[in-house]
Amino acid sequence: MRSAKDFFRPLAVGAPTPPTEIPARPSRAIHFFDPSNPKMAAKVPDMVGSVDVLLGNLEDAVKADNKVAAREGLVEIGQNTEGLGGPEAQTQLWTRINALDSPWALDDLTTLIPAIGHTLDVVMVPKVQGAEDIHYVDRLLAQLEAKAGLDRPILVHAILETARGVANIEEICGASPRMQGLSLGPADLAADRRMKTTRVGGGHPGYLVRQDPASSSEADINASRSVFQQDLWHYTIARMVDACAMHGIYPYYGPFGDIADVVACEDQFRNAFLLGCVGTWSLHPKQIAIAKKVFSPSVEDVAHARRVVAAMSALGGDGTGAVMLDGKMEDDASLKQCLVMVELAERLAATDPELAELYAAAEEG
Ligand SMILES: CCC(=O)SCCNC(=O)CCNC(=O)[C@H](O)C(C)(C)COP(=O)(O)OP(=O)(O)OC[C@H]1O[C@@H](n2cnc3c(N)ncnc32)[C@H](O)[C@@H]1OP(=O)(O)O
Ligand SMILES: O=CC(=O)O
Ligand SMILES: [Mg+2]
């Protein structure tokens, strides 16, 4: 066990000091691309500025024969793409490395950190099982940062996609001051848990509850009854949200594989947003707009939140007391909920001029 005093000391001589807080940078869409795919790579420069995070994926969905090309393609992009990555950039640069037990993970890190460590913001680690995986990456990153002379620590993001990872969720989140957040990996997680869905994220029509029958007669039991589909991922996302909030890091939904079904995609993303997630993955360019829409508070919610803040301020501004607004009671707790909404809106508006305009118009109206 490490002493609390050592926690914020670099793990290698000359490495940057670990962060004491993880900045809340906009990351509504983490857009995945395969850097070995020339068509996808060619689209990256034009996406800079319009998506919060571009992630060069090296793991699943990249063919084994293309692993080296993907790594090299990402180096090329990280070195030569204007405005991409680094603490001031509007569009962050992330990567998803290969699994730690694969033949590629070590070379991923030892290639990327010296070459593009200055622009790489976050390393996403797949199939994290426990704190030991984070400790390994933490020390290796410190050594590589020291060697490369970096002055800013690269953050770490874990994908929750094994039963053991879910069971160890709190220790994973607290394993390093570098921990930036968690994503749900519903496809690998379903396989690892032996769930019986073959979909990549999203709901399942068989996971439902059914309205009671009008009577126990055979006719009523077999009559048509309303069914309500349930969310397969509710339990895991709720655990992620609590573990991340406890550790001051950020939870994300993951992939939604039915690219054509933009409606269900939006619903699934919104469930995650309402529960507390700050963003999601985008696998196809058309999912970026969905993610940006869902993970930005609506104009109506922001307008309402501002009214509650104003009403509570008029009461004295210290949060005590209660007011009635539109027939509803508001007090310190609902004020705090509203501040979450207003602060998120302000943070997003600072980098998204379209949103800034919408929120400003709502304030004037
Ligand atoms: C399941 C667990 C996981 O690990 S999920 C994370 C790993 N998977 C991924 O990263 C998948 C990334 N996405 C993709 O590979 C592609 O989008 C898939 C889903 C295969 C669809 O590709 P495709 O059939 O080419 O789509 P399309 O014809 O509609 O594409 C139109 C143009 O857009 C491009 N495109 C496609 N996806 C991306 C992307 N993610 N980033 C940037 N560009 C993308 C296509 O190349 C195509 O370009 P063009 O118009 O032909 O020049
Ligand atoms: O990596 C993502 C997943 O769903 O598996
Ligand atoms: Mg996976």
Side-chain angles (χ1 to χ4, degrees), residues 59-60 96 126-127 159-161 184-189 255 281:
E59 200 223 8
D60 293 354
R96 178 170 79 168
K127 301 175 176 74
I159 314 180
L160 211 60
E161 47 187 351
L184 174 73
D188 272 303
L189 183 55
W281 300 4

Side-chain angles (χ1 to χ4, degrees), residues 211-225:
Q211 185 189 22
D212 282 354
S215 80
S216 52
S217 73
E218 200 176 326
D220 280 338
I221 284 172
N222 289 314
S224 167
R225 288 185 262 161

